Amino acid sequence: MMIFSRRVLRFFAVFGFLVFANVVMLSNQQDALALERFVTYKYTDPMTGMEAFRLLVPKGWRVEGAITWSKNPALPAQSRFRFYNPSGPEEMNLFPTRSYFWTNNQLFLRTNPPGSLRFNSLVAKPIDLHAAFTQVLIPKARKNVSGLVILKEKNIPELSRLAAGNSVQGLKSSAQGGKVRIGYQERGKRMEEELYAAVSQFVIYPEPRYFINYWYIDYVFSFRAEKGKLDSRAKTFQTMLFSLKINPKWYAKVVNVKEMLAQKSIKEIKAIGRMGDIIAKAGSQMREDQMRVWEQRQQVQDKISQNTSDQIRGVDRYYDSRAGKEVELPSGYGHAWSNNLGEYYVSDKASDNPNVGSNLHWEQLTPAR
C-alpha cells in the first residue's frame, strides 16, 4: 500500500483537515497495472474569503458540502462534506461536530430541560462512544438504508488522547475514540462503511456541589464502498485523508472567533447578530498554544490513517526542477516523472516511460538530497 505524508492535518474539531499538485499513481498488483489520477480540491470559506482546506480527490469525483458559521462559542465554524464517485458507491464523508451541555444543578435543569439549547449547545446527559455511534451518528447518517448491522468496533487510543486535550487546572477531561464498521443495503446494493468518532467530556466544578459538563461527539468521518471492496479501496481513502490540509491562518481565525464569542455575554451575542463583524475583527495569526494543538492534530491524524491499512510505505522526496521545489510522492516505487501540467507519475519499473504514447513532455525527477 502507498500513502502520502505522515506530517498530516486533522480534523476539525473543525476537523477536522500535503501534496499540492495533481498526482498520477501507478502500482503493480499481481502483474496488473492499476492507474488512478488525483486532483487537488480546494475549499474557500465564503464568510472569510480564505482557503479553509485542500485535499486530493480521485479525478472525476464530486464534492458536496460547506462550512457554516454560527454564534455558538463552542463551535463557531462547522463543516459537512461528502466526496463521492458519481459512477459508483465509494465516498468519504466529513461530518460536523456535535456539542452538548450537562449539569447536576436541578434548578438550572428546570429552566433549561434536556432537549433545550444552552449557548447553542444541546442540553443532554453524556453518553459513551458506542451509544454515540448507535443512537446518534449512524441513525442520522444512514437513516434511509435497510438491514443495517454492526460488523465490528475498535478503540483508537490516539484519537482518545487527542479528543481529551491537554490537562488544565480545575478542568477534568476524558474521551473515548474509536471506529465502527457497519453493513447495510442501499438502492439494491450491499454496502460497508467505517465510521470514526470520539466522545469527549470537559467537567468543571463552579461549586463543590455542582458540576458543569461540556461534552462533544467529535472527529467524525467515514469511508464507504460496496460490500467486500472497502478494504481494497483503502489506498484511495488513505491518499485523500493523508493529503487533507487545513490552512493554519483560517484555523487561527476560527480559534480567535471562538475566544471572542466566549468572552461576550449571551445578551451581547444575541444583540450583535452579525457574525461577519466578529470574524473580520478576529486575527489570522497563530499563537504558540494554538500551534501546539494544530501540530497535535497532525500527529494523531497519521495514527488514525494507519488504522485503514497494515502496510504503509510513506513518502519519498524528489526535486522537481521545472517547479523549482521538492515534492513528496509515494515511496517504494523508485521512479518518478513530472509534466508541465503539474502532474506526477510514479512507477516501480525502470522500463516504464510516460513519454511513450503521450503528447505531453515528462521529465524524470531525481531524489532530493
Side-chain angles (χ1 to χ4, degrees):
M1 277 292 198
M2 80 187 152
I3 52 86
F4 283 94
S5 174
R6 296 194 178 196
R7 296 179 288 107
V8 192
L9 209 54
R10 15 328 83 183
F11 284 119
F12 27 120
V14 191
F15 40 87
F17 315 75
L18 276 149
V19 177
F20 293 85
N22 299 338
V23 180
V24 179
M25 298 191 298
L26 189 65
S27 63
N28 191 326
Q29 294 182 347
Q30 297 178 350
D31 298 325
L33 294 178
L35 178 68
E36 188 156 28
R37 288 177 180 262
F38 286 82
V39 297
T40 302
Y41 172 78
K42 304 175 185 178
Y43 180 81
T44 298
D45 176 11
M47 180 66 85
T48 64
M50 302 169 67
E51 178 183 311
F53 70 92
R54 62 175 61 188
L55 81 163
L56 294 171
V57 298
K59 188 172 183 177
W61 279 36
R62 296 177 183 172
V63 183
E64 295 176 351
I67 290 175
T68 56
W69 290 79
S70 73
K71 295 185 289 292
N72 184 343
L75 300 168
Q78 281 278 52
S79 54
R80 170 68 176 101
F81 287 89
R82 173 178 174 241
F83 306 88
Y84 67 98
N85 178 5
S87 302
E90 302 86 8
E91 64 182 50
M92 183 175 88
N93 289 278
L94 307 178
F95 295 101
T97 297
R98 298 171 181 271
S99 63
Y100 302 87
F101 178 92
W102 187 248
T103 180
N104 63 344
N105 187 323
Q106 295 304 310
L107 178 61
F108 172 88
L109 292 177
R110 282 198 292 271
T111 56
N112 297 264
S116 63
L117 295 178
R118 166 75 171 178
F119 296 120
N120 288 310
S121 292
L122 185 67
V123 178
K125 187 175 294 187
I127 58 178
D128 62 18
L129 182 61
H130 176 79
F133 278 128
T134 57
Q135 298 176 21
V136 179
L137 299 177
I138 295 174
K140 181 70 174 179
R142 300 296 167 229
K143 58 184 177 182
N144 295 321
V145 303
S146 61
L148 193 148
V149 293
I150 295 178
L151 303 175
K152 57 183 176 180
E153 293 184 66
K154 183 178 180 180
N155 291 328
I156 303 177
E158 296 86 0
L159 184 53
S160 300
R161 287 193 289 271
L162 174 63
N166 297 321
S167 59
V168 178
Q169 186 174 3
L171 177 69
K172 182 180 178 182
S173 63
S174 62
Q176 292 178 285
K179 63 179 180 178
V180 60
R181 181 170 295 202
I182 58 176
Y184 52 86
Q185 184 151 332
E186 183 180 54
R187 298 189 182 97
K189 289 185 178 181
R190 290 299 302 174
M191 303 293 300
E192 289 184 345
E193 184 167 9
E194 199 158 80
L195 291 93
Y196 293 73
V199 174
S200 54
Q201 301 187 44
F202 303 89
V203 182
I204 59 175
Y205 290 84
E207 298 180 21
R209 294 179 299 167
Y210 302 127
F211 68 80
I212 294 174
N213 185 350
Y214 297 95
W215 64 281
Y216 303 85
I217 302 177
D218 200 0
Y219 302 90
V220 187
F221 61 99
S222 76
F223 311 118
R224 80 167 194 162
E226 196 170 350
K227 181 180 179 181
K229 298 181 179 180
L230 185 58
D231 291 330
S232 66
R233 293 308 301 257
K235 179 166 58 178
T236 298
F237 294 131
Q238 283 178 345
T239 298
M240 296 173 69
L241 189 61
F242 267 65
S243 66
L244 187 58
K245 178 178 174 60
I246 293 177
N247 179 1
K249 290 187 176 181
W250 180 85
Y251 177 85
K253 176 78 77 170
V254 175
V255 175
N256 291 329
V257 167
K258 179 177 179 178
E259 292 177 351
M260 291 174 69
L261 287 173
Q263 291 169 1
K264 296 180 178 292
S265 68
I266 186 64
K267 181 179 179 180
E268 289 174 325
I269 293 173
K270 288 181 177 179
I272 289 172
R274 297 188 302 274
M275 279 298 297
D277 292 345
I278 298 176
I279 294 169
K281 292 177 182 177
S284 300
Q285 299 303 313
M286 246 190 213
R287 301 191 310 268
E288 184 178 350
D289 59 335
Q290 294 175 356
M291 182 61 75
R292 283 197 299 268
V293 175
W294 190 75
E295 290 174 345
Q296 285 177 336
R297 292 180 181 278
Q298 288 182 308
Q299 297 168 2
V300 173
Q301 188 60 41
D302 179 52
K303 295 294 185 181
I304 295 172
S305 298
Q306 289 186 27
N307 279 274
T308 65
S309 174
D310 294 327
Q311 299 176 335
I312 292 182
R313 292 181 176 179
V315 298
D316 287 334
R317 292 184 300 114
Y318 294 87
Y319 183 74
D320 185 346
S321 59
R322 180 186 285 110
K325 64 180 181 180
E326 290 185 0
V327 295
E328 292 179 339
L329 298 173
S331 70
Y333 290 83
H335 308 280
W337 292 261
S338 69
N339 65 26
N340 56 357
L341 298 180
E343 296 181 338
Y344 293 93
Y345 174 106
V346 292
S347 176
D348 57 1
K349 290 184 176 181
S351 59
D352 281 337
N353 187 339
N355 287 295
V356 177
S358 173
N359 58 359
L360 300 173
H361 176 64
W362 295 84
E363 290 187 4
Q364 189 160 9
L365 304 182
T366 57
R369 296 181 179 179

